[in-house]
Amino acid sequence: MRTVDNQLTVRQLIFLLISSFIVLDGHAVELQTQAKNESALFKDDWLCQKCFYPEGWELDFESGLAYLGGEPYYFGHYTGLDEKGAHLLADLSAEYWRKDATFFSFQGKNLGLESRQFEMTGGRQGIFQADVFYTAIPVRQGNQGETPYLGAGSDTLTLASDWVAASTTQDMTQLRTSLNQVTLDRTWKKLGMALSVNPWENWQLDLQYSQIDEQGKSQTAGSSFFNTAGLIKPINGKTEQAVLMALYRSDAWKLRVSYLVSDYVNRYESLSWQNAYLSTSGQLQGQQALSPDNESHSLDLTASWQWLVHTRINGEVRFGQMTQNQPLLTQSLAASQNSYLSSNAKVETFNAKLKLSSRILQPLNLEWVIDFDERDNQTPEREWLQFENQFSSPFYQSNFAYDYQRKQLAMQGEYYTSNGWQLLAGIDTERFSRSHQERRTTQTNDLWFQTRTQLNEWAGIDFRLNSESRNGSDYQALRDEKGVQNSLMRKYHLADRDQLAARFQSMFYINQHIDLLLEFEHSEEDYNASLVGLAQVEYQRMGADLSYIFSDSSSTYASYSQESYRSIQNGSQHFADADWTGTARDRYDVIALGIKIPDWLERFNLQLEFQVADSKSRTQNDTGGLFVEFPLLKSRWEQVKLELEYPHNDSWFFTVEYRFENFDSNDWALDNVEVDTMPQMIAMANEPRHYRINGLYLTARYLITAESSD
Amino acid sequence: MNFYFLKYLTGYFILALICLSGWSTFLFAQDASVINENGGAKENAEKKETTDINKPHYQSAGKCVSCHNDPALLQIFRTPHGQGADSRTQFAEKQCKTCHQSEQAHGDRRKMTALPAPGHQVVLKFYRDNSDSAKQKDAPCLGCHQRNSTHVMWQDSKHQRAEVACVDCHQLHPAKDPALDKTRQFEQCKSCHKKQSNDFRKANTHPVRQGSMGCSDCHNPHDSTYKNALTYSRESDLCWSCHAALRGPFLFEHQPVTEKCTLCHSAHGSIHTGMLTRRAPLLCQSCHSSRGHPSLSLTPDSLPGRRPSPFVLSQSCLNCHAQIHGSNHSSGGVLTH
């Protein structure tokens, strides 16, 4: 395990913020005095006597308890509320104003939970601003998993000392008795600061720094060709990122230069595990490389120029570099080693974009865009001896340095008719070149048309139609020592494709109080030259949203949406013509209803919400006329939320919230899969996700308001 | 890098610009008054005239507040716009009338006319059936905010083209504009982006509905440069800004990963595990069918109780090819190590 130095802590960041604040505040006084003398815009005698200019501190503190019943583990995914019982809720907002526009604010949410976040901002408005921010996101991926391995969360997984290796899971006599329950949890934390200064007129300088720490456990697998095992890998990485940006703006010009550097350090370089299977060659351990340390730099120049009366040019050039040179792991099999110590991986990227927009005639606007994007992978391509397992002979395989180059030219016109129709049409052409792919270049042409208008006072429509076609160069066999691809296979991002898409949206303002939105979307993708691979995709969505505003601030809404997706693909079991067809049909329905009455019984603020999201997925397979269907994959999420707020006076507010949430899912890939269900795999035995919670949230909010300065 | 294409296109555009320049200058040379359609130039021109503080309209807020004294409206003094000491704000100058109808125009309460008061270009009323155009509504905002670093490319952006006005998303009077609050921003964006809003109710999503991420963490609604108004020019750079562990470059790469994450993942949410667009093994079999490892027809026979197969169960193809985003192991050629 490697150690990482120079980590910034919250305390250090706050210290930095305060130091910056003190230094810049002095500078700000000087600048502001100068500004006042120059413009003399703000005078005390302008002040509105009846206006409320707060001065001093304001505090808004909300605290309470949430009580959760039921099975809340997966409810804690992203919320941190993953255990039954009481949880502390605390939100705090503190603000400070001074008459000279000096300000400080602290906004904290979920401070008592693992999903806490806060932001502190201070500065003198118009002169400088400094921020410190923090966000934590808890990730809950499973608490039911079982594994015979010990040491979950570390980089070495071992088996019980009395483990007897066997060829299949059924023959592993100690498997059932040596199981350990594991949770797959991790936390993602981001801490950062930003400083923005306006040092001179028309200039802005920004400096941002952030670090992301991710720690916990995640699922992976370790295979040795015939056998495999579900494993737990440690997550313990840190990303530091800094951005320096300078902006100059005038009435005609805007120029922005930014430099970004990002550095990722993984505290673990590999995961090793004891081989649970019988090994004839004496292979007792497996090893997997974890994400390597890497860094990325980019320099970005952006400009916007109001060139002529009605002509504007926007452009951007970006140079990037990504490098990774972590020492490679030694081979886990006792065999001759590859002679290179590291991959010396390096990728350079270049992106240039130019956009010209011109309203050459008053109702007509034309736009041209050229976009160039290149990934130049300069990693040396070498032959690497591959040791897959104890049964197969080592073989050589090259690492491929994947490059690509994308060139795009887009043109569009926009025309306003005298009776209020907006007509848009355009053509996009994209040419994509890739290295080490069966097809070197593809060309995509997209022709589209759109119109929108407000038909009358109560109805508006928006309609868009796209027709896209993609073709490309001839297919060629790839240099690949390990496995030659079926020559009939057409990868879906390279294959010839015709696509037709239509979208229609209509908004009805039925009267002063009622709005209705209707939406319909349909698209079809036809991979007509793909004998093996994805053949057809169809997507459809329809939705309706109704809202009714029945007083100045009270409203109710209802919405329904349905999405369906169908894909058909062909495969070949015999490395020849297609001999099976797989069809996947997904459907997703959402219903949401809600009502909001801020002055219910002239005393309460009432909010009631009900939502259901239901998904189903069918997978069917047709092999030579034998038609079979997998069990239905489904998930359903239901939520009922009732919130009642009682404003006792100007300072005290009391809230009661009841929340019911239920999530249930069925997944044939996980249902009834035990550790030894598969002879060649020690499974983790994770169950499909489900949770059901009844939550009662009681909070009291106290507000201290500042005095008016005038 | 091959600059041939760039040179060719640059030449083409210079030629086009010269032609347009001549044409536009000819057509609009006399129309100097509309030099800036968004009002920025006019705002600046007006600013230069505002040093005479005795003009009555600079002391207007007192009059407004005497009637419009709803506490919700007066929250504006807790916002950056209400800070008179900042010479760029409304309250350093025309106060309420920077954005709203002047008193001359609405002196008669029976007529909430939209006609401009003499000498005033900015005449707005921000209520529900407001028929003013987005351009009219945006003029007072863009006079200042078009100069922000995040608004450099506002003109010609998707939202600007779709006539989305600043006030369609932003609220000036509340102490905290919901559109600027990451935990509440989603509520704002979903009023138009229904599909994306529904995606975040799916079983596998980013934590947007829970308030830990905001739409603006990935999108800049004010910018026009990048596809889908993303905050990075290259989609994968955006994903790697949080998922740097997957950035590599790896010794053995998986080609689609180097190109675009959304070839396999749905960024807003998916009904399938891992936010995948489709489910393994079918997703993987859309591209892979090689000698020695054929594209098997996988059926329910592979489920528990029959002949359970690691090709289908648990993590399917990832049961072996666990390093699907790339491997830095010298034996990682097939992304297993």
Side-chain angles (χ1 to χ4, degrees), chain A residues 471-494:
Chain A
N471 53 36
S473 59
D474 292 340
Y475 280 82
Q476 59 190 19
L478 279 183
R479 176 173 60 95
D480 182 354
E481 292 78 358
K482 176 61 183 164
V484 178
Q485 178 93 287
N486 185 336
S487 61
L488 299 176
M489 166 57 81
R490 299 292 179 257
K491 293 179 179 174
Y492 64 89
H493 65 302
L494 307 175

Side-chain angles (χ1 to χ4, degrees), chain B residues 167-184:
Chain B
V167 291
D168 291 339
C169 303
H170 294 286
Q171 296 176 40
L172 271 67
H173 286 272
K176 296 278 171 294
D177 177 0
L180 301 180
D181 181 350
K182 202 170 67 175
T183 59
R184 292 190 290 162

Side-chain angles (χ1 to χ4, degrees), chain A residues 442-593:
Chain A
T442 56
Q443 174 135 351
T444 308
N445 297 313
D446 181 16
L447 187 65
W448 61 271
F449 167 78
Q450 186 171 4
T451 181
R452 51 185 165 222
T453 189
Q454 193 66 36
L455 289 172
N456 49 44
E457 281 184 356
W458 60 274
I461 59 164
D462 187 344
F463 173 73
R464 186 180 167 104
L465 189 68
N466 267 62
S467 173
E468 184 191 289
S469 82
R470 181 172 68 199
N471 53 36
S473 59
D474 292 340
Y475 280 82
Q476 59 190 19
L478 279 183
R479 176 173 60 95
D480 182 354
E481 292 78 358
K482 176 61 183 164
V484 178
Q485 178 93 287
N486 185 336
S487 61
L488 299 176
M489 166 57 81
R490 299 292 179 257
K491 293 179 179 174
Y492 64 89
H493 65 302
L494 307 175
D496 285 0
R497 181 179 75 179
D498 289 325
Q499 186 184 42
L500 190 66
R503 194 192 68 205
F504 177 77
Q505 192 180 62
S506 186
M507 185 79 187
F508 298 96
Y509 306 95
I510 294 169
N511 60 31
Q512 277 281 329
H513 304 284
I514 301 176
D515 289 349
L516 174 66
L517 174 71
L518 298 176
E519 291 179 291
F520 179 77
E521 200 175 336
H522 181 88
S523 74
E524 284 178 15
E525 293 173 15
D526 191 2
Y527 298 79
N528 45 25
S530 298
L531 297 176
V532 175
L534 191 62
Q536 205 177 57
V537 173
E538 198 176 292
Y539 171 80
Q540 194 164 292
R541 187 177 82 86
M542 57 184 93
D545 284 75
L546 182 70
S547 71
Y548 173 53
I549 298 173
F550 51 92
S551 77
D552 279 351
S553 46
S554 301
S555 59
T556 181
Y557 72 90
S559 75
Y560 172 71
S561 160
Q562 185 196 93
E563 265 180 67
S564 56
Y565 174 90
R566 184 175 67 112
S567 68
I568 300 172
Q569 68 185 82
N570 301 314
S572 171
Q573 305 196 77
H574 303 100
F575 201 65
D577 292 344
D579 50 17
W580 63 268
T581 300
T583 305
R585 285 188 176 84
D586 298 344
R587 180 171 157 160
Y588 178 61
D589 294 85
V590 178
I591 297 171
L593 304 167

Side-chain angles (χ1 to χ4, degrees), chain A residues 41-42 46 48 50-52 54 58 78 95 99 107 109 117 125-126 202 221 228 241 247 249 251 254 256 262 288-289 291-292 294 302-303 307-308 310 312 314 316 324 328 331 350-351 353 355-357 360 365 367 373-375 377 386-388 397 399 404 407 412 414 422 434 437 452 484-486 489 492-493 512 515 539 545 561 565 569 572-573 575 580 586 588 611 621 623 629-630 637 667 669 677-678 681 689, chain B residues 1 5 13 17 20-21 23 27-28 37 44 53 62 65-66 77-78 80 83-89 92 128-129 146-147 149 153 155-156 161-162 176 183 194-195 198 201-205 207 209 211 224-226 232-234 244-245 247-251 253 255 258-259 263 271-272 278-279 282 285-287 289-291 294-295 297-300 303 308 310 312-315 319 322-323 328 330-331 333-334 336-337:
Chain A
L41 286 171
F42 182 76
W46 284 18
C48 160
K50 292 176 184 172
C51 297
F52 178 83
E58 284 200 346
Y78 296 155
E95 307 220 358
K99 198 176 168 184
Q107 308 288 331
K109 281 186 192 297
Q117 51 183 292
Q125 193 173 306
N202 295 330
T228 185
Q241 181 166 300
L247 172 74
R249 57 261 168 133
D251 288 340
K254 291 182 197 91
R256 184 173 62 193
S262 169
Q288 186 178 85
S291 295
N294 62 76
T302 307
W307 177 41
L308 295 167
H310 290 287
R312 184 177 299 105
N314 294 337
E316 183 189 23
Q324 184 272 114
L328 296 171
Q331 295 293 336
F350 175 68
N351 185 213
K353 190 162 189 171
K355 180 171 169 178
L356 184 145
S357 175
I360 53 174
N365 190 75
E367 185 179 292
D373 185 12
E374 185 178 65
R375 180 186 203 262
N377 191 339
Q386 305 284 295
F387 303 95
E388 270 298 301
Q397 181 163 340
N399 62 303
Y404 69 74
K407 302 164 187 170
Q412 76 167 61
E414 183 184 351
Q422 188 183 4
R434 301 167 178 89
Q437 290 298 294
R452 51 185 165 222
V484 178
Q485 178 93 287
N486 185 336
M489 166 57 81
Y492 64 89
H493 65 302
Q512 277 281 329
D515 289 349
Y539 171 80
D545 284 75
S561 160
Y565 174 90
Q569 68 185 82
S572 171
Q573 305 196 77
F575 201 65
W580 63 268
D586 298 344
Y588 178 61
Q611 301 181 74
N621 205 310
T623 311
E629 184 169 335
F630 279 79
W637 173 73
D667 185 340
T677 298
M678 291 171 275
M681 179 174 181
R689 274 185 287 167
Chain B
M1 283 180 288
F5 174 76
F13 265 85
L17 291 177
L20 275 170
S21 162
W23 191 11
L27 284 173
F28 296 106
E37 294 171 1
N44 290 330
I53 59 164
V65 169
S66 57
F77 297 109
R78 291 183 166 82
Q83 306 306 311
D86 180 356
S87 60
R88 305 167 308 164
T89 67
R128 192 164 172 266
D129 61 346
Q146 196 174 222
R147 299 159 72 87
S149 59
M153 303 289 186
Q155 295 299 331
D156 305 320
R161 280 283 167 76
K176 296 278 171 294
T183 59
K194 303 287 182 189
K195 180 189 179 315
N198 287 334
R201 293 180 176 116
K202 287 179 177 169
N204 305 282
T205 68
R209 187 167 52 81
S224 65
T225 324
Y226 312 139
Y232 282 74
S233 59
R234 192 176 288 106
R247 180 168 57 197
F250 293 94
L251 169 61
E253 297 184 317
Q255 192 273 336
T258 66
E259 200 174 306
L263 285 172
I271 65 170
H272 300 297
R278 289 181 294 135
R279 200 178 171 79
L282 289 177
Q285 288 175 319
S286 301
C287 290
S289 175
S290 57
R291 190 197 300 276
S295 174
S297 171
L298 296 163
T299 68
L303 300 182
V312 169
L313 299 176
S314 196
Q315 299 194 86
N319 286 331
Q323 304 281 61
N328 212 50
S330 55
S331 281
V334 290
T336 52
H337 288 85

